[in-house]
Amino acid sequence: MPEQQPDGASGAAARIGRVLRATDGRLDRLVDVGLRWTRTHRAPWWLVDAFFVAAAVADAVLDISGATTVETWLSLLAAAALLLRRRFPVLAFALTVPGLFVGSAVVAASIALFTLGERTDRRWLMLLAALVQFVGFSGFVGPPQTLDEIVVSVVYALIFALGPLAVGLLVQTRARLTEQLDLARRAQEDERRQAAAVALSRERALLAREMHDVVSHQVTLIAVQAGAMQMAGRDEAERGFARTIRQLCVVTLQELREMVQVLRASGGTDREIAPQPVLADLPRLVAESGLETSTTVDLPDTLAQPLQRAVYRFVQEGLTNVRKHAPDATVRVSGRIHGGHVLVDVVNGPARAARLELPGSGLGLIGLGERASLLGGSMESGPQPDDGFALHLRLPVEHVPAARTV
């Protein structure tokens, strides 16, 4: 029906567009395959040169029956000059000129002229070489007698003068176009990488803004409320509890500020991520915990960085749990390597002060277990007979260097 024609026309146009896009994609893939094939299946240079020299020698030998000694040696010299064509194309062509005019070096001179077109940018030199080739080949075919012979001689001379030069220019142009195509492809890849980096920077900035606007605000409110509680506390225990909360809020805000700065950094160039904790930081961690702790950690400081961070976070979480659930308890931290595994224990005794009923989600131990699982190890925890608590970490290590006491 007539009213259906526009829909049919638009549908046909859409199908044509899809076909053209698919064809364009196939052409791009074919070009890529062709370029890869030419790069991987190109004959070695020495084989090509050997073939050219053999062809020039064959041309000289086939005409050697009626040639003089000088003509033969000049033809062979022209064939040998092709060995210099890649490094000294002008010299190679100049050495073929005597054989072209005196001997039988048409093939050698044509190959040398092709090399000039392939490897030289000086147009005047190419035209001069083509003119020499034209004159030499005109003399090679013999003096013409009739007008037809003159025309045939000129046509053949033009073919042998301009043909090799045109092929050489074509090869040179193809090489330049291939190089430009590679440069364009690398430029496109750089643009894609830059676009991805810009998108990542925007996401990082958005995440940093959300963290600053939401998390920082909430933590600041907690710190303010803790400060008010500290001032209006009814006893020293309550004021100490509020003081601890306020100090933790301050530390949290500082760490959050550093995280926001890292996220806002563009590609990590304006600010590098802060150094991650290692085994050498354990003594400071234990000293800042304020707990009576005995430490015996015989672990090498050349362990892999993920293992060192896992050990540090394990001890950190253990000390945090002691402060929360067993105030003033004695703690024993030990670490060693046994049977190709890193073994770390954090064991505390019973609480020697009143416990503070602080809310806990248990996510700390869950996170430690997940970290250990990612490293191929395991984490166990459980109460002790003397009303204490123990954490045990076990991580595999492939190569164990000499241990150092921390």
Side-chain angles (χ1 to χ4, degrees), residues 385-402:
D386 57 350
D387 199 24
F389 199 82
L391 299 176
H392 306 286
L393 178 66
R394 180 184 180 90
L395 298 174
V397 55
E398 296 179 358
H399 177 67
V400 181

Side-chain angles (χ1 to χ4, degrees), residues 375-391:
L375 296 175
S378 60
M379 195 275 295
E380 298 178 357
S381 60
Q384 295 294 296
D386 57 350
D387 199 24
F389 199 82
L391 299 176

Side-chain angles (χ1 to χ4, degrees), residues 244 247-248 251 281-295 312-333 346-348 352:
T244 301
Q247 291 174 352
L248 290 177
V251 174
D281 299 320
L282 280 179
R284 178 180 55 82
L285 175 65
V286 172
E288 292 176 355
S289 67
L291 298 171
E292 183 179 343
T293 307
S294 62
T295 306
Y312 182 93
R313 296 304 184 192
F314 177 80
V315 175
Q316 184 183 47
E317 181 64 20
L319 295 177
T320 300
N321 288 339
V322 172
R323 286 196 302 267
K324 290 170 58 178
H325 305 295
D328 292 338
T330 59
V331 186
R332 177 174 56 85
V333 178
V346 177
V347 182
N348 65 273
R352 297 188 297 185

Side-chain angles (χ1 to χ4, degrees), residues 181-238:
L181 184 61
D182 290 337
L183 291 176
R185 184 177 290 107
R186 286 196 290 269
Q188 290 178 354
E189 293 175 355
D190 290 338
E191 289 177 359
R192 284 194 291 267
R193 284 195 294 267
Q194 291 175 3
V198 170
L200 178 61
S201 298
R202 290 177 179 173
E203 293 297 328
R204 288 156 62 101
L206 178 61
L207 180 59
R209 187 162 54 249
E210 292 294 330
M211 291 180 62
H212 180 270
D213 294 342
V214 179
V215 182
S216 178
H217 175 70
Q218 300 294 340
V219 175
T220 302
L221 288 179
I222 296 174
V224 172
Q225 295 295 332
M229 185 184 297
Q230 180 181 352
M231 297 297 296
R234 292 170 295 182
D235 52 28
E236 185 61 30
E238 185 175 339

Side-chain angles (χ1 to χ4, degrees), residues 4-290:
Q4 292 180 351
Q5 290 179 358
D7 295 338
S10 61
R15 287 194 295 273
I16 292 174
R18 287 195 296 270
V19 170
L20 290 176
R21 287 192 295 271
T23 304
D24 184 60
R26 293 191 186 98
L27 287 176
D28 290 341
R29 289 193 292 272
L30 285 176
V31 170
D32 292 339
V33 171
L35 289 175
R36 288 195 297 268
W37 190 91
T38 54
R39 294 191 189 101
T40 56
H41 293 78
R42 186 176 298 172
W45 65 269
W46 56 267
L47 183 60
V48 175
D49 285 358
F51 175 78
F52 284 163
V53 172
V57 171
D59 179 52
V61 170
L62 291 176
D63 197 48
I64 204 171
S65 58
T68 64
T69 304
V70 175
E71 294 174 346
T72 301
W73 280 108
L74 288 178
S75 299
L76 294 177
L77 174 64
L82 296 180
L83 297 174
L84 305 174
R85 71 182 191 92
R86 294 181 181 273
R87 191 173 182 86
F88 306 104
V90 178
L91 177 60
F93 179 80
L95 292 177
T96 62
V97 171
L100 176 64
F101 280 85
V102 178
S104 177
V106 177
V107 173
S110 299
I111 295 174
L113 184 59
F114 157 79
T115 305
L116 274 178
E118 179 191 11
R119 295 180 174 268
T120 306
D121 294 328
R122 291 170 288 183
R123 302 298 181 184
W124 66 269
L125 184 58
M126 296 181 192
L127 294 176
L128 178 61
L131 179 61
V132 172
Q133 179 92 337
F134 175 83
V135 175
F137 189 81
S138 298
F140 180 81
V141 298
Q145 301 296 329
T146 64
L147 180 60
D148 293 340
E149 291 178 350
I150 292 175
V151 172
V152 172
S153 176
V154 170
V155 171
Y156 273 93
L158 286 174
I159 291 175
F160 275 87
L162 299 180
L165 185 62
V167 175
L169 287 172
L170 181 62
V171 173
Q172 182 184 121
T173 303
R174 176 186 176 276
R176 290 181 176 177
L177 289 177
T178 302
E179 182 180 358
Q180 291 177 0
L181 184 61
D182 290 337
L183 291 176
R185 184 177 290 107
R186 286 196 290 269
Q188 290 178 354
E189 293 175 355
D190 290 338
E191 289 177 359
R192 284 194 291 267
R193 284 195 294 267
Q194 291 175 3
V198 170
L200 178 61
S201 298
R202 290 177 179 173
E203 293 297 328
R204 288 156 62 101
L206 178 61
L207 180 59
R209 187 162 54 249
E210 292 294 330
M211 291 180 62
H212 180 270
D213 294 342
V214 179
V215 182
S216 178
H217 175 70
Q218 300 294 340
V219 175
T220 302
L221 288 179
I222 296 174
V224 172
Q225 295 295 332
M229 185 184 297
Q230 180 181 352
M231 297 297 296
R234 292 170 295 182
D235 52 28
E236 185 61 30
E238 185 175 339
R239 288 191 293 270
F241 174 59
R243 186 186 305 110
T244 301
I245 294 178
R246 187 172 182 276
Q247 291 174 352
L248 290 177
C249 289
V250 172
V251 174
T252 302
L253 285 174
Q254 179 63 30
E255 293 180 352
L256 179 62
R257 187 178 298 110
E258 294 177 359
M259 291 178 62
V260 169
Q261 290 174 353
V262 170
L263 289 173
R264 285 178 174 172
S266 177
T269 56
D270 296 336
R271 175 184 175 89
E272 297 296 333
I273 297 177
Q276 296 296 309
V278 293
L279 291 177
D281 299 320
L282 280 179
R284 178 180 55 82
L285 175 65
V286 172
E288 292 176 355
S289 67

